[in-house]
Amino acid sequence: MKASRPTRIELAPLALLLAAALLLAGSRAAAADNPNDACLACHSDKTLTTKRAGRTVSLYVETKKFSSSIHGSLSCTNCHADLEGKDLPHDTPLKRVDCGACHGEESKQHAKSLHGRAVARGDALAPRCASCHGNHDILSVKDPRSPVSPMNVPFTCGKCHREGTPVQTQRKIEQHNILENYAESMHGEALLRKGLSVTANCASCHTAHNILPHTDPNSSIARVNIAKTCTKCHARIEDVHRKTIKGELWEKEAHVLPACVDCHQPHKVRKVFYTQGMADADCMRCHANPNLKTRDGRPLTVHAADLSSSRHAKVACSQCHSDVNASRVRPCETITGPVDCSKCHEQISQDYQRSKHGQLFAKKDPNAPVCKECHGTHRVLGKHDPQSVTFATNIPTLCARCHREGKQAAVRYVGAQHDIIPHYRESIHGKGLLKSGLTVTATCTNCHTAHRELPKSDPESTVNPANLPATCGQCHHGIQEQFVNSVHSRTVTTTTKDLPVCSDCHSAHQIRRADEDGFKLDIMAKCGRCHAEIAKTYFETYHGKVSRLGYTKTAKCYDCHGAHDILKVTDPRSHLSRANVVETCQKCHASATRRFAGYLTHATHHDPKKYPFLFWTFWGMTSLLVGTFIAGGLHTLLWLPRAFQMRRELKAEEARQAAERNGGKEKHDGER
Amino acid sequence: MASVKEQMENVVVEEAKVAPASALAADLGDVIASDEWGPEAPPDRREFVRFTHLHRTLHACMIVSFITLALTGMSLKFSYTGWARFMSHMLGGFQTAGFIHRTAAVIMFAAFFTHIVDLFKLKKREYRSWKELILGSNSMLPMKQDLLEFIATLKWFVGIGERPQYGRWTYWEKFDYFAVFWGVFIIGSTGLTLWFPVFFTRFIPGAFINVATIIHSDEALLATGFIFTVHFFNTHLRPEKFPMDTTVFTGHMPLAELKRDKPREYQALVASGRLEQHLADPQPAIVVKTIRVFAWMALFIGFSIVVWIIYAMLFAYR
């Protein structure tokens, strides 16, 4: 409501004051000499007539009606100003009364209005002030007998705007059966049958004096203003309609949103009124046709079953295709662009625009996916519907459409992860989702979000190392709680080096069960990527050697240090603090003592400063070993030539003896 | 004799060409297709009995337990080699391998202590006092004589002396014998510490487990390395005995060999007139052949372990 147009209620005290002043003036005048008596001397005669434009017009003024009218205390010349000081009988015709002399604002509005402009054109059917308000018998708008009292407005307007009147038949009025429709509408029913005087009548929507066509942007029923007009009474109606709109969009973006009248047709206002006009049935008259195509061949067929089974079953065509214009024969001919889902899904749209998908879309990349790529068009199903492509178990397949190796998303990808889809399928998450059918298992969107996917390098990405613990913590909350307090957490350790996050040990897409042998055996290499020296020394101990042989039933990094709750050994809460270390050893060595815990789990005999006794033991043993081998080896090598010599002699001797035996035998045989 | 030696030169050369593999094949073939089921023992083929039945059994026990200990132990020590992984999995996992390792250790301990007990019995049976046993001519203890023989041997090696007249035990045999004492003490004590760390750390600091690991591991390396090379050579693979000296398995050695190898002992026996007491008929051929197969297997495994150790230490070390 503009400040320059104060309401009637605001004006009331002013009007009262004015009326009192006029009354005072009038009574003073009457006391002196009632000027109206002179006029009424002639005009109280019922037979007083005049000819005007060939018609006989009565000039009778009913004294009683005039005196009881709102102007009853005025003198005739207050309105018929041109008679002021004139002799009687006066000349005819008189000038037309100018209500604007007192009612300046109303008069101005009327002049600009449809009615006023018709008057200016000289349209004989054009209504003037008196057409609605009467002339000498004008009553207060609050008087139930007044033709402009709320209960009478429809009839007053209906004088011209009912079917069959010259206005309705001869002037260009797009609406028909206005009065009848109104009478049947919610508003009409309330006003006319239930006597609710506060319900909307013609003037509530069209205003009293500033009546303009809906095509005029200043009109109260113009598309841009209709919401404001309706919300004069239906103040919180947007809450009912679409919470996401937050009661703003109808005013702010009235050009794209459906206006009230798109659904609730003017004059016929009903609770549910989608069956006619721009209702779905109207659209489907054409779009049910299976052969309907655009000129360039895109199918335009809409399957009613798709819509009725979709999440948008209760959303009218025009709510999405909001470019439609109800006043056209083909309301859709004004459609110029694709459906803008953001009008209802505002937050999601913002996320999308921030996402890599949205960034590509903004760059007009042909591969950039838009809403319908994932959600479809008319058959939009909710993510909880197992039929939906966005249902948890279908997500990997959905994303794989572009992210499978060789597909449009995979070919442009520059990161280190490859074979993402098959790796995911083999991961604990993939198996949980796809083999065990656990819909709560993490799928692509759980980590990357559904609409705000960003590359790992983006600090806002859910898979950025800084945010990953929180992302995984959505499900693995207990683990996150441990992790954020551990030395590996950025909240605990400040360093310029990279700190490990979930994916560094568990990988991104190949995540294995942590109780699998493969994972358990890999973890040393994972820890060793940063803790190279300490991992090396681990492998010099029994624990490490057994692990390296491929067995898991021995202490590995996390058995002693903890998996996610790793703390400095100086921290009293650490598994390896003085208070806890014995208990930690006892996990495997049931009766371990404090002295047992003195075992050096990362001992190396290569460090003479840190472990001198190990260093010297090792080199002592090594010297003994080398010395023994040198002595033994030399002894053997020196022996070798003699040994061969002995062998030769021995063989020669054996041969000699054999020859002797054979010789003897032959001799013996010869004797026989 | 020299002329005969020259005459037979060709024969010797041919004999020397016989490779160990073909010798093994011959031995195996003999066992399988043996027709020598009965001993042919003419009186002059009687052999000198060097080792008692118990000695031979204990030696066999040592071989089995030692090789077992070596295989299971090395598979842990050289865990970074593929062979170790293979061996460990073959043995049924590290826990089973560990069990086998300890079982073998128990066998070795048993053999060791049986020998000690046998020494007491021996003293009771054949010696009047420990002094006689320890300082007598058959003593295993290194003596002044051994030092002299060692020096003489070195001279013989370099060609400035005759081969010494060795007695019952040469100095290298005594060395091997005490190496076992040393080894059992060192490896055995550290092994027990590693076996029962919780118990032992009631008396010693936990870091001593680390020390014990190094000592156990390196001493084992020394033992295996030494046994499978130097010991094998000294007592089995010496060219003059090639391919194998089976005395320790059969307990017997030909009298000629005694005369040649241990002349001092032979002469002492002859002088005392007790040689006859130490002679016996040869072992049945099947026993000898079986022993040879066993010995060859032990040799093969031992050499394989040496190759593995060399590979692990020189080529696969990380």
Side-chain angles (χ1 to χ4, degrees):
Chain A
M1 185 79 43
K2 283 178 203 160
S4 60
R5 268 205 299 163
T7 61
R8 222 172 303 169
I9 296 162
E10 281 169 332
L11 265 176
L14 204 69
L16 274 172
L17 210 67
L18 196 73
L22 287 173
L23 212 66
L24 209 66
S27 65
R28 209 185 294 135
D33 175 28
N34 191 344
N36 291 354
D37 290 346
C39 298
L40 289 169
C42 299
H43 286 284
S44 58
D45 177 6
K46 284 182 183 172
T47 59
L48 189 65
T49 58
T50 188
K51 289 264 183 193
R52 199 177 289 166
R55 284 194 298 143
T56 306
V57 176
S58 170
L59 293 172
Y60 169 65
V61 175
E62 204 175 331
T63 314
K64 201 179 164 192
K65 273 196 175 170
F66 175 71
S67 58
S68 64
S69 86
I70 193 112
H71 293 152
S73 58
L74 299 181
S75 66
C76 301
T77 53
N78 282 91
C79 293
H80 299 284
D82 50 342
L83 291 179
E84 182 67 50
K86 289 275 172 69
D87 293 333
L88 297 173
H90 56 79
D91 295 337
T92 56
L94 290 179
K95 275 189 184 167
R96 196 178 289 279
V97 168
D98 179 15
C99 301
C102 294
H103 303 281
E105 186 59 35
E106 285 81 357
S107 175
K108 242 185 259 170
Q109 286 181 5
H110 178 263
K112 280 191 215 158
S113 81
L114 207 59
H115 291 161
R117 280 184 292 186
V119 170
R121 278 202 308 273
D123 188 331
L125 296 175
R128 300 166 187 276
C129 307
S131 310
C132 299
H133 295 278
N135 37 39
H136 296 109
D137 53 351
I138 295 173
L139 290 169
S140 159
V141 73
K142 289 193 190 105
D143 191 320
R145 291 170 299 154
S146 163
V148 294
S149 80
M151 303 301 286
N152 296 332
V153 165
F155 301 102
T156 304
C157 297
K159 280 196 294 186
C160 298
H161 290 287
R162 81 158 65 87
E163 287 309 288
T165 60
V167 170
Q168 203 64 24
T169 52
Q170 296 168 18
R171 299 293 177 269
K172 198 184 161 199
I173 307 289
E174 283 169 6
Q175 296 282 324
H176 296 284
N177 299 318
I178 294 170
L179 214 60
E180 289 82 351
N181 283 338
Y182 174 77
E184 286 171 15
S185 80
M186 278 188 80
H187 291 151
E189 194 178 292
L191 186 79
L192 304 174
R193 299 214 188 130
K194 299 186 175 156
L196 261 176
S197 60
V198 293
T199 200
N201 57 41
C202 311
S204 309
C205 297
H206 295 277
T207 75
H209 303 104
N210 194 19
I211 296 160
L212 287 166
H214 71 90
T215 49
D216 188 318
N218 295 320
S219 166
S220 61
I221 56 161
R223 201 173 176 80
V224 291
N225 298 327
I226 194 81
K228 202 191 290 170
T229 301
C230 294
T231 51
K232 277 200 299 187
C233 296
H234 298 279
R236 292 177 66 91
I237 196 68
E238 296 199 15
D239 290 356
V240 181
H241 281 69
R242 201 61 81 236
K243 280 190 175 148
T244 49
I245 294 176
K246 292 182 187 156
E248 291 175 354
L249 285 184
W250 263 335
E251 276 95 337
K252 282 186 181 170
E253 301 191 33
H255 56 292
V256 282
L257 278 187
C260 310
V261 288
D262 287 335
C263 303
H264 309 280
Q265 286 218 318
H267 307 129
K268 295 190 196 176
V269 185
R270 282 275 172 205
K271 259 188 202 164
V272 179
F273 209 83
Y274 297 125
T275 53
Q276 281 184 20
M278 279 166 44
D280 297 358
D282 276 1
C283 301
M284 292 304 284
R285 273 211 301 272
C286 299
H287 288 278
N289 178 359
N291 300 319
L292 191 68
K293 287 196 170 81
T294 58
R295 279 195 200 91
D296 53 353
R298 283 181 299 118
L300 286 173
T301 310
V302 177
H303 299 288
D306 283 355
L307 269 173
S308 61
S309 63
S310 82
R311 286 281 284 179
H312 291 158
K314 290 183 180 165
V315 176
C317 305
S318 59
Q319 281 180 279
C320 295
H321 300 281
S322 55
D323 291 353
V324 289
N325 195 325
S327 53
R328 305 293 175 105
V329 177
R330 269 184 67 234
C332 51
E333 70 187 12
T334 49
I335 294 177
T336 52
V339 167
D340 185 352
C341 304
S342 71
K343 295 309 167 203
C344 292
H345 304 280
E346 195 190 12
Q347 183 58 48
I348 288 172
S349 165
Q350 281 177 15
D351 285 347
Y352 170 79
Q353 281 166 26
R354 179 70 184 84
S355 80
K356 190 73 195 173
H357 291 161
Q359 291 172 28
L360 289 172
F361 179 71
K363 287 183 203 159
K364 298 199 166 58
D365 191 296
N367 290 337
V370 294
C371 309
K372 65 179 179 183
E373 241 83 41
C374 297
H375 294 281
T377 53
H378 294 112
R379 194 163 175 263
V380 179
L381 298 173
K383 65 178 176 182
H384 299 300
D385 187 330
Q387 298 289 314
S388 168
V389 284
T390 56
F391 186 69
T393 54
N394 299 329
I395 291 275
T397 313
L398 175 66
C399 298
R401 283 190 206 161
C402 299
H403 290 273
R404 206 178 323 122
E405 289 296 296
K407 294 286 178 182
Q408 58 264 52
V411 292
R412 67 189 314 140
Y413 171 74
V414 291
Q417 297 284 326
H418 287 287
D419 290 317
I420 291 168
I421 305 295
H423 281 161
Y424 171 78
R425 286 178 182 279
E426 284 309 306
S427 77
I428 176 66
H429 288 150
K431 284 180 181 165
L433 184 77
L434 303 169
K435 291 192 179 159
S436 308
L438 273 171
T439 53
V440 293
T441 315
T443 179
C444 314
T445 51
N446 290 92
C447 299
H448 296 279
T449 75
H451 298 106
R452 203 183 162 90
E453 307 88 349
L454 285 166
K456 182 184 166 186
S457 53
D458 192 311
E460 283 183 38
S461 168
T462 50
V463 295
N464 181 276
N467 305 324
L468 200 59
T471 300
C472 298
Q474 291 174 100
C475 297
H476 301 278
H477 180 72
I479 301 296
Q480 189 200 355
E481 273 183 342
Q482 290 183 357
F483 180 79
V484 292
N485 291 318
S486 80
V487 284
H488 287 152
S489 165
R490 278 156 215 274
T491 57
V492 173
T493 305
T494 40
T495 173
T496 51
K497 290 180 193 161
D498 282 345
L499 286 169
V501 289
C502 316
S503 60
D504 287 295
C505 294
H506 294 279
S507 82
H509 295 111
Q510 292 168 281
I511 303 171
R512 287 195 278 192
R513 283 181 71 104
D515 57 1
E516 257 179 19
D517 280 6
F519 178 82
K520 287 181 175 178
L521 293 171
D522 269 0
I523 201 73
M524 275 78 72
K526 300 270 167 61
C527 298
R529 280 203 303 233
C530 299
H531 304 281
E533 273 308 306
I534 215 81
K536 213 166 126 190
T537 56
Y538 165 80
F539 284 115
E540 287 184 30
T541 69
Y542 177 78
H543 294 150
K545 284 173 188 285
V546 171
S547 294
R548 187 130 64 182
L549 283 176
Y551 301 101
T552 55
K553 214 178 160 188
T554 186
K556 288 161 294 302
C557 313
Y558 58 81
D559 286 307
C560 302
H561 295 275
H564 303 106
D565 52 351
I566 300 170
L567 293 167
K568 281 199 166 109
V569 290
T570 49
D571 190 317
R573 295 167 300 158
S574 164
H575 294 295
L576 298 175
S577 73
R578 193 168 167 74
N580 298 333
V581 66
V582 177
E583 201 181 315
T584 300
C585 293
Q586 281 171 349
K587 286 200 293 183
C588 299
H589 305 275
S591 47
T593 59
R594 173 153 301 286
R595 220 192 250 125
F596 176 86
Y599 176 67
L600 306 166
T601 47
H602 291 282
T604 173
H605 50 250
H606 295 305
D607 190 342
K609 278 180 192 146
K610 203 169 174 191
Y611 305 110
F613 52 99
L614 294 183
F615 179 80
W616 291 114
T617 304
F618 173 75
W619 281 108
M621 290 306 295
T622 305
S623 312
L624 180 69
L625 190 138
V626 172
T628 309
F629 276 115
I630 288 173
L634 269 178
H635 186 268
T636 301
L637 284 175
L638 287 170
W639 194 342
L640 214 51
R642 297 292 152 211
F644 274 113
Q645 189 191 349
M646 275 186 76
R647 182 188 172 87
R648 279 197 301 276
E649 286 171 4
L650 192 64
K651 291 288 171 188
E653 176 67 14
E654 276 174 7
R656 191 183 58 78
Q657 284 175 5
E660 256 179 24
R661 268 204 304 279
N662 286 348
K665 213 176 177 182
E666 274 162 25
K667 201 172 157 189
H668 182 70
D669 288 348
E671 278 172 6
R672 271 205 294 191
Chain B
M1 190 179 160
S3 62
V4 177
K5 211 167 89 185
E6 281 166 27
Q7 282 168 10
M8 301 311 291
E9 199 70 48
N10 295 335
V11 182
V12 172
V13 170
E14 274 173 26
E15 288 274 345
K17 279 181 186 167
V18 176
S22 62
L24 172 63
D27 279 344
L28 281 170
D30 283 354
V31 170
I32 294 157
S34 176
D35 52 2
E36 300 176 42
W37 293 96
E40 287 176 45
D44 62 331
R45 284 194 65 188
R46 279 195 303 169
E47 292 172 334
F48 175 70
V49 180
R50 181 164 161 82
F51 295 110
T52 66
H53 204 274
L54 183 68
H55 292 149
R56 292 152 52 200
T57 309
L58 290 182
H59 186 256
C61 285
M62 291 296 272
I63 290 174
V64 171
S65 60
F66 188 83
I67 286 177
T68 308
L69 285 164
L71 278 178
T72 48
M74 294 300 163
S75 72
L76 191 61
K77 180 171 175 66
F78 299 117
S79 63
Y80 52 83
T81 64
W83 262 104
R85 290 175 69 97
F86 170 76
M87 187 58 66
S88 185
H89 284 85
M90 271 269 293
L91 293 170
F94 84 101
Q95 283 171 306
T96 315
F99 176 78
I100 294 171
H101 189 81
R102 289 166 196 138
T103 308
V106 169
I107 293 172
M108 185 174 276
F109 276 131
F112 182 78
F113 288 110
T114 307
H115 173 66
I116 304 291
V117 171
D118 185 47
L119 278 183
F120 278 87
K121 284 184 180 170
L122 181 73
K123 180 248 163 189
K124 217 172 184 177
R125 197 167 63 235
E126 293 181 23
Y127 296 88
R128 282 187 299 268
S129 67
W130 281 109
K131 192 181 169 189
E132 200 180 297
L133 172 72
I134 290 169
L135 299 177
S137 61
N138 283 349
S139 169
M140 288 302 299
L141 221 58
M143 312 266 184
K144 191 184 171 192
Q145 177 69 26
D146 294 305
L147 184 64
L148 297 174
E149 279 176 12
F150 174 63
I151 294 163
T153 305
L154 290 182
K155 283 182 177 168
W156 174 56
F157 284 170
V158 295
I160 53 171
E162 282 297 306
R163 187 172 185 270
Q165 303 284 301
Y166 300 113
R168 178 166 171 81
W169 306 113
T170 63
Y171 63 87
W172 67 82
E173 285 164 345
K174 290 182 177 180
F175 181 90
D176 282 4
Y177 178 77
F178 279 104
V180 176
F181 272 81
W182 163 262
V184 167
F185 174 69
I186 296 292
I187 307 182
S189 61
T190 52
L192 282 172
T193 312
L194 298 175
W195 186 352
F196 304 107
V198 176
F199 172 77
F200 278 97
T201 49
R202 285 163 67 181
F203 318 108
I204 56 168
F208 271 48
I209 303 292
N210 298 82
V211 177
T213 310
I214 294 173
I215 295 175
H216 187 78
S217 157
D218 282 4
E219 181 63 27
L221 194 64
L222 172 59
T224 41
F226 194 83
I227 297 288
F228 296 147
T229 55
V230 178
H231 174 71
F232 272 14
F233 174 85
N234 286 354
T235 49
H236 302 298
L237 296 172
R238 269 153 54 196
E240 75 261 32
K241 297 190 175 177
F242 195 85
M244 180 173 289
D245 180 356
T246 55
T247 306
V248 79
F249 301 108
T250 61
H252 296 188
M253 66 196 291
L255 205 53
E257 195 179 319
L258 179 71
K259 258 190 243 175
R260 186 173 66 243
D261 264 13
K262 321 278 185 191
R264 192 151 50 82
E265 185 189 11
Y266 176 74
Q267 282 151 21
L269 283 170
V270 170
S272 68
R274 285 189 290 134
L275 182 62
E276 278 295 312
Q277 292 171 21
H278 294 277
L279 294 182
D281 288 337
Q283 301 278 11
I286 181 69
V287 172
V288 175
K289 301 294 178 191
T290 308
I291 281 168
R292 279 177 171 272
V293 171
F294 169 78
W296 272 114
M297 282 166 62
L299 267 182
F300 175 76
I301 297 172
F303 279 132
S304 303
I305 292 174
V306 170
V307 171
W308 177 23
I309 290 173
I310 291 170
Y311 161 76
M313 296 197 68
L314 296 185
F315 303 106
Y317 186 75
R318 282 181 283 176

